[in-house]
Amino acid sequence: MTLRWRLTLFYTALLAVLLTTVAVTTLVIMRNNLITSVNRDLSNTYGRFVQLLPSLSLTPSNDINRDSAGDQRSVRYQFPNYALQLEQLPFYSQASLFQSLENNAEGPNRQDFFATLNSVRLTYRESAGIDRDSPIQLSEKQLAELIRSPGGQLLIDQDVNEAYQDRPTPMRVLVRLAPLTLQPSPLGLPGSNDTLTIVYVGRSLDDIQRTLADLRNVILLLFLAGLVTAGVGAYLLAGRALQPLGLVQRAAEGIGGQNLTERVPEPETGDEVQALAGALNNMLARLEDSFEAQRRFTSDASHELRTPVTAISGHASYLLRRTSPDEQQKESLKIIRSESERLTNLIASLLQLARSDSGALVMARDPILSGLFLTEIARELMPLAQAQRTALTVAGQEVTFEGDADRLKQVLINLVSNALKAGARTITLSSQPEQDGTEVRLSVSDDGPGIPADQLDRLFDRFYRLEDSRSRDVGGAGLGLSIARGIVEAHEGRIWLESEVGKGTVAHVQLPVGDVPVLDDDDVP
């Protein structure tokens, strides 16, 4: 993954975490505020309902939906948005109820205590706005918590079956346990006629849930819009920030041994990118000096060695022709002449590499017919192949391309010579156009022993040779493929090897076709 995408994902993920935190915090605060508002409203409604109770003159024989005069003025009309339920506990006081719970908190008497209490609650239970067959129920745990509560108050969330409704309604229910005046006192004394009661006041949470759902939807839309905007913005900003680095990268990739004089652009950004470009240019300057010194040494040493080596070879040949050495001396002179010739070839290769490194390797580009070109090479190498009992054939399509025939012949002769040295019994030279028609591929395939995969790329390194070809009598100095690569790269092409141990090797030379003229049949010899 590129640095641009990593920066984009990082900033987008960071914004996602921040937006999620803000969204969750907002929803929690909003819900708490709404629930607090509902709790406050339930307390106010409880107070108004309690004030109304004496006017109802409740007895076990009438309900809270009628007043003392028997009018059909329902409490439901006065509290239309609330569910009300009242349970009388006429045989208990708060103190006695608490003491009974504590005395029967554990053991077998616990079930009897709650069974008796529930029987009393059921007998003296009235409701308004609640389905009589499905009243609000409290579990034993909730009843115990209500009785033990210092304020005699409990807040619960419960689904309540409202009257004439098909489905339960989620409600916030306030439960209060307290002695209340259900009938006017005959003596006019406050509290003289109080009855311990459990009052339930419930309010629907549908509005709150819809509000929270709408808020979640708005937050989700803002979240998605924010992420998309932040992602696009971060991508564009990262691209703009990294654009100078991309220019430096492309310029650096185009600099090689042939154009070390070039430099990468130094953007006037005043940041690390400009410092990096400056450091790269300083490094390129040092590399240029080093390469120049190396080329100069190679060229000078090759020139200086050529004269003495030629003299040694000449004197050895003279002694062999003009004198009468014995067999041991003759063998020594032949070795001297052979090694002198080998050294002469090595010097010539070093000079060619030095010219290639310095860019002085001039290519004479002329039209070449691939089939005719490969046939000529095969004819030239045929005696050497026959001497080793190797079949040398030419195949493929005829392709016209532009190049230096002498230099490319040197490349292919080197590839065929390597196959012969490896002991191949069949060697095929072939040519074929690439799919787009702008390039041609020349290939040399053999059925030799093959090359290990870990050594394929290293074969193009200077002075590198395979372990099984280090012998001087079959192996060269390890410069042939380096020279071949230099020639191919001077043609703006590429060279590579494909091989499998035990099945042979294929060397590919891919070259641009270039600007070649259209040839008629009469132009082809």
Side-chain angles (χ1 to χ4, degrees):
M1 185 180 295
T2 62
L3 178 60
R4 184 178 188 180
W5 276 110
R6 290 203 300 270
L7 289 175
T8 300
L9 291 179
F10 172 76
Y11 287 117
T12 304
L14 181 61
L15 180 63
V17 172
L18 293 177
L19 290 178
T20 302
T21 303
V22 172
V24 172
T25 303
T26 301
L27 288 173
V28 170
I29 293 176
M30 179 61 71
R31 186 182 187 281
N32 290 339
N33 289 339
L34 292 174
I35 293 298
T36 301
S37 176
V38 170
N39 293 341
R40 190 181 304 112
D41 179 65
L42 291 175
S43 297
N44 294 336
T45 303
Y46 170 81
R48 291 189 291 115
F49 177 66
V50 167
Q51 292 177 359
L52 180 65
L53 286 177
S55 65
L56 301 177
S57 299
L58 291 178
T59 65
S61 62
N62 66 347
D63 59 50
I64 61 175
N65 289 298
R66 292 178 178 269
D67 61 8
S68 58
D71 296 335
Q72 296 296 324
R73 186 174 56 195
S74 173
V75 173
R76 183 64 174 169
Y77 294 157
Q78 301 185 47
F79 301 94
N81 298 323
Y82 301 90
L84 301 172
Q85 181 173 302
L86 183 143
E87 297 172 350
Q88 301 181 43
L89 304 176
F91 308 115
Y92 293 95
S93 65
Q94 278 189 293
S96 64
L97 186 62
F98 178 80
Q99 190 62 41
S100 298
L101 175 65
E102 294 300 317
N103 293 338
N104 300 283
E106 302 293 341
N109 295 330
R110 176 183 175 87
Q111 297 295 330
D112 295 338
F113 166 75
F114 280 108
T116 302
L117 181 60
N118 289 332
S119 176
V120 174
R121 291 170 54 214
L122 178 62
T123 303
Y124 299 101
R125 173 183 291 161
E126 300 295 339
S127 62
I130 301 176
D131 187 355
R132 290 182 178 273
D133 296 331
S134 301
I136 301 175
Q137 298 285 353
L138 293 180
S139 65
E140 292 183 0
K141 181 179 179 181
Q142 290 173 332
L143 272 173
E145 185 179 352
L146 177 64
I147 295 171
R148 291 192 178 103
S149 174
Q153 177 174 303
L154 187 66
L155 285 166
I156 60 175
D157 292 329
Q158 192 174 98
D159 290 338
V160 177
N161 293 307
E162 295 186 273
Y164 312 112
Q165 295 292 331
D166 297 334
R167 61 179 182 85
T169 302
M171 287 191 176
R172 182 79 167 172
V173 181
L174 171 65
V175 186
R176 290 289 296 268
L177 173 66
L180 298 177
T181 301
L182 302 181
Q183 297 181 4
S185 174
L187 301 177
L189 298 176
S192 60
N193 199 26
D194 289 351
T195 302
L196 186 63
T197 60
I198 300 177
V199 178
Y200 302 80
V201 182
R203 175 179 164 179
S204 173
L205 294 176
D206 284 340
D207 292 341
I208 293 179
Q209 291 179 351
R210 280 194 296 269
T211 301
L212 293 176
D214 292 340
L215 182 60
R216 281 195 297 269
N217 292 335
V218 171
I219 290 177
L220 180 60
L221 290 176
L222 293 176
F223 179 83
L224 295 177
L227 281 188
V228 172
T229 303
V232 174
Y235 184 80
L236 295 177
L237 183 61
R240 186 176 181 84
L242 296 175
Q243 184 177 9
L245 192 59
L247 295 176
V248 172
Q249 175 193 355
R250 287 189 291 272
E253 290 176 347
I255 298 176
Q258 306 294 334
N259 56 348
L260 280 176
T261 56
E262 296 185 10
R263 297 292 181 265
V264 300
E266 294 188 22
E268 298 295 333
T269 55
D271 55 12
E272 291 82 355
V273 177
Q274 183 177 0
L276 175 62
L280 284 175
N281 285 333
N282 293 334
M283 181 188 68
L284 288 173
R286 293 192 298 270
L287 285 176
E288 182 184 4
D289 294 340
S290 176
F291 270 71
E292 183 60 30
Q294 178 185 353
R295 286 195 295 264
R296 191 182 305 113
F297 170 78
T298 303
S299 179
D300 294 345
S302 299
H303 278 292
E304 293 299 327
L305 287 173
R306 176 177 289 182
T307 300
V309 169
T310 302
I312 293 173
S313 177
H315 283 286
S317 299
Y318 174 79
L319 291 175
L320 285 172
R321 292 194 312 268
R322 299 297 185 180
T323 60
S324 301
D326 56 28
E327 290 300 324
Q328 185 175 0
Q329 292 172 342
K330 185 181 297 186
E331 181 67 23
S332 298
L333 289 173
K334 288 181 179 180
I335 293 175
I336 291 173
R337 186 174 63 180
S338 175
E339 293 301 318
S340 298
E341 292 174 354
R342 186 190 298 272
L343 189 55
T344 300
N345 294 331
L346 175 60
I347 292 172
S349 298
L350 289 175
L351 280 173
Q352 186 166 354
L353 285 174
R355 294 191 188 99
S356 177
D357 291 340
S358 62
L361 194 61
V362 180
M363 297 295 167
R365 298 180 181 272
D366 297 308
I368 299 176
L369 297 174
S370 62
L372 187 62
F373 177 64
L374 296 180
T375 301
E376 182 181 348
I377 294 174
R379 185 183 304 113
E380 183 175 334
L381 295 176
M382 188 63 69
L384 183 60
Q386 291 176 349
Q388 296 188 12
R389 298 181 180 179
T390 300
L392 184 59
T393 59
V394 177
Q397 303 179 33
E398 185 74 77
V399 182
T400 305
F401 65 98
E402 194 177 49
D404 189 320
D406 293 335
R407 299 291 187 182
L408 292 177
K409 180 184 292 187
Q410 181 181 354
V411 171
L412 292 174
I413 288 177
N414 179 272
L415 296 177
V416 175
S417 298
N418 288 340
L420 290 173
K421 292 176 183 177
R425 288 292 171 257
T426 301
I427 301 175
T428 303
L429 284 73
S430 62
S431 64
Q432 60 182 2
E434 291 300 306
Q435 292 182 353
D436 56 2
T438 61
E439 292 182 318
V440 60
R441 180 182 298 184
L442 308 178
S443 302
V444 177
S445 58
D446 65 67
D447 60 352
I451 303 170
D454 59 343
Q455 299 190 46
L456 286 176
D457 292 335
R458 296 188 62 191
L459 284 175
F460 292 96
D461 295 341
R462 298 177 184 181
F463 300 105
Y464 180 81
R465 294 185 300 171
L466 293 174
E467 294 294 334
D468 57 359
S469 64
R470 290 186 180 275
S471 176
R472 290 279 182 181
D473 54 349
V474 295
L479 295 176
L481 288 178
S482 298
I483 294 173
R485 182 172 61 179
I487 294 174
V488 173
E489 289 179 351
H491 281 80
E492 299 178 357
R494 63 190 187 99
I495 181 173
W496 73 97
L497 301 176
E498 295 176 357
S499 183
E500 187 174 350
V501 176
K503 294 187 177 181
T505 303
V506 182
H508 298 287
V509 177
Q510 189 161 310
L511 303 168
V513 171
D515 186 14
V516 295
V518 178
L519 301 179
D520 298 328
D521 294 338
D522 297 337
D523 298 325
V524 181

